[in-house]
Amino acid sequence: METAEILHQFERYTGQFARAAVEAAVARREEITLELLRILKGTVDRAAQLDAEGDYMAHLYAMFLLAQFRETRAYPLMVRFASLPGDLLDSLCGDFITGDLGQVLASVCGGELAGIQSLIENESTDQWVRGAALSSLVTLVVAGQKSRDEIVSYFAALFRGKLVRKWSHVWDALVCHSSDLYPEELLDDIKKAYEDGLVDPDCIRFDNVTRDLAMGKDRILAGLADNPHLRLVDDTVAQMGWWACFREDRAKNTTYAAPNSKLNPAGSSQIRTATPKTGRDEPCLCGSGKKYKKCCGA
């Protein structure tokens, strides 16, 4: 498959995953990379216009492939993309933000943290993007690109002044990902955050944090390797191909059909990568106290 045909198949949502085009892009990695970077830059520069077209999808294929290629030239573009207004990001890519952005950022950053940290610390950045950026740091620990101690030290700085002390999802995410890395050194900071009302207990309760502590450091850290949401992107087909919007039975089993509401008779603007009976942001029915997406939904 020639490059022009690959790009054509990526451009618009058709209801089918462009598997053959993705595989051809991987085979033509050297010549396709510049085109994928061009797509990503064009999406950032013309985001509102492309969103208004209603069926644009090339940016999603581009982000996953560039992540699979470990293309560090995509990193500043990804940071710019993630800095777009939250409503626009939601319309352009829906659950990609909460489900995949962290892995993509970790995959293209080459171990350089400044861009990720700028997303986390910028109060004007969408709160779900900031949470995904925090998860990317844990992914880098799992991948062996950063030490646990380095990331825990940065988390401590966030607790102790780098974040504005008012509630937003970024505080929930900070506690969740501190707990992921075994929060022994951060326990006093976490306790203070709960006391100051900065953490939503419907997302994670303090006793969830102490339970992780009781499990022991080695067990908690060993378990991170089993979390598929904390891995670098290695296979675009595996990462995208199962999305609900590509399933043949999507009309019966999914609420959302495509990234933009113009493709969705129900009026939603989100791709859903899963359709649990419990909402992703609702408390998990298992009783853990965590949100569904942070518990059984993971």
Side-chain angles (χ1 to χ4, degrees):
M1 188 181 299
E2 297 298 321
T3 297
E5 178 60 22
I6 294 171
L7 299 176
H8 175 71
Q9 291 196 27
F10 286 167
E11 188 171 5
R12 302 293 169 183
Y13 174 76
T14 65
Q16 300 293 322
F17 175 61
R19 181 184 184 119
V22 169
E23 292 173 343
V26 173
R28 290 175 170 266
R29 173 176 173 172
E30 289 189 11
E31 63 187 88
I32 203 75
T33 294
L34 287 178
E35 295 297 330
L36 297 175
L37 290 167
R38 179 186 59 78
I39 288 170
L40 185 52
K41 183 179 185 302
T43 303
V44 174
D45 292 341
R46 300 185 297 123
Q49 175 186 337
L50 293 170
D51 177 55
E53 293 175 7
D55 59 354
Y56 186 71
M57 203 169 191
H59 59 301
L60 293 169
Y61 287 105
M63 286 188 286
F64 278 112
L65 283 165
L66 290 166
Q68 180 176 337
F69 297 163
R70 304 290 184 268
E71 180 52 68
T72 56
R73 286 175 292 181
Y75 183 38
L77 293 172
M78 279 299 311
V79 172
R80 286 182 59 202
F81 177 79
S83 300
L84 292 171
D87 289 347
L88 184 55
L89 286 173
D90 183 55
S91 186
L92 281 168
C93 50
D95 274 1
F96 169 84
I97 299 299
T98 55
D100 305 284
L101 176 60
Q103 293 172 268
V104 169
L105 283 170
S107 298
V108 299
C109 75
E112 197 278 319
L113 301 185
I116 292 171
Q117 290 172 341
S118 71
L119 293 173
I120 295 168
E121 296 170 30
N122 186 346
E123 291 293 316
S124 65
T125 300
D126 177 72
Q127 62 175 340
W128 302 103
V129 168
R130 298 171 75 192
L134 282 164
S135 76
S136 73
L137 300 180
V138 181
T139 297
L140 289 170
V141 173
V142 176
Q145 293 189 22
K146 292 295 174 182
S147 70
R148 172 198 173 269
D149 290 350
E150 179 179 358
I151 301 306
V152 168
S153 178
Y154 176 64
F155 284 179
L158 293 174
F159 276 111
R160 299 168 192 174
K162 280 186 174 288
L163 291 184
V164 174
R165 295 188 72 81
K166 65 178 181 180
W167 179 84
S168 73
H169 171 66
V170 70
W171 281 97
D172 300 336
L174 179 57
V175 172
C176 286
H177 294 305
S178 295
S179 195
D180 286 340
L181 292 177
Y182 194 73
E184 182 177 21
E185 303 96 318
L186 302 172
L187 189 60
D188 289 342
D189 298 293
I190 293 171
K191 184 177 181 180
K192 177 64 172 172
Y194 277 97
E195 291 172 350
D196 291 347
L198 302 176
V199 186
D200 181 358
D202 285 338
C203 179
I204 181 171
R205 297 196 307 257
F206 187 68
D207 60 1
N208 296 127
V209 177
T210 56
R211 183 185 63 188
D212 286 345
L213 277 171
M215 290 174 65
K217 185 176 182 178
D218 290 344
R219 183 177 175 186
I220 289 295
L221 296 181
L224 291 179
D226 297 325
N227 188 334
H229 298 287
L230 296 175
R231 298 173 186 166
L232 300 179
V233 176
D234 287 319
D235 186 343
T236 298
V237 171
Q239 199 98 12
M240 285 186 73
W242 67 280
W243 282 4
C245 63
F246 297 130
R247 286 172 50 179
E248 292 181 2
D249 60 347
R250 62 190 178 277
K252 295 181 179 180
N253 295 305
T254 66
T255 305
Y256 308 109
N260 189 282
S261 58
K262 293 185 179 181
L263 298 175
N264 177 15
S268 169
S269 63
Q270 295 180 324
I271 292 175
R272 294 295 179 183
T273 56
T275 52
K277 293 180 181 179
T278 304
R280 284 170 55 82
D281 294 310
E282 295 175 11
C284 191
L285 292 177
C286 75
S288 67
K290 296 184 179 182
K291 288 190 178 183
Y292 180 86
K293 67 187 178 187
K294 290 291 185 180
C295 191
C296 297

